[in-house]
Amino acid sequence: MKTFAIKSTDRAPSVLELVGEIEDGYVVRIVRHRDDWEDVSEEFMTRELFDTCMRTGYIYEMSA
């Protein structure tokens, strides 16, 4: 599973994890780290949106 950092404030770092790949895009898990808890959601992301986020630097792959 690949993990990507989401451009956000230092106070609330967020990551996007690729959970699965389907015909039109990806199933992703977004984890937003808060002071004392984590907000976790799973959503569908189109390939076009994913590629746009990568190209603009909104998300970038984290090193293992």
Side-chain angles (χ1 to χ4, degrees), residues 6-15 30-41 43 58:
I6 300 173
K7 191 174 187 178
S8 60
T9 66
D10 290 338
R11 297 185 69 216
S14 303
V15 296
I30 299 172
V31 181
R32 293 176 181 91
H33 301 279
R34 307 293 182 190
D35 289 335
D36 55 349
W37 57 282
E38 291 183 342
D39 179 24
V40 179
S41 63
E43 302 177 25
Y58 185 71

Side-chain angles (χ1 to χ4, degrees), residues 19-62:
V19 175
E21 184 174 353
I22 55 178
E23 184 177 316
D24 299 358
Y26 304 97
V27 176
V28 298
R29 178 179 299 121
I30 299 172
V31 181
R32 293 176 181 91
H33 301 279
R34 307 293 182 190
D35 289 335
D36 55 349
W37 57 282
E38 291 183 342
D39 179 24
V40 179
S41 63
E42 283 196 14
E43 302 177 25
F44 171 76
M45 178 181 263
T46 64
R47 288 185 196 282
E48 182 179 6
L49 178 57
F50 182 84
D51 292 342
T52 299
C53 289
M54 286 290 292
R55 188 176 62 253
T56 60
Y58 185 71
I59 62 173
Y60 53 92
E61 190 168 2
M62 298 172 67

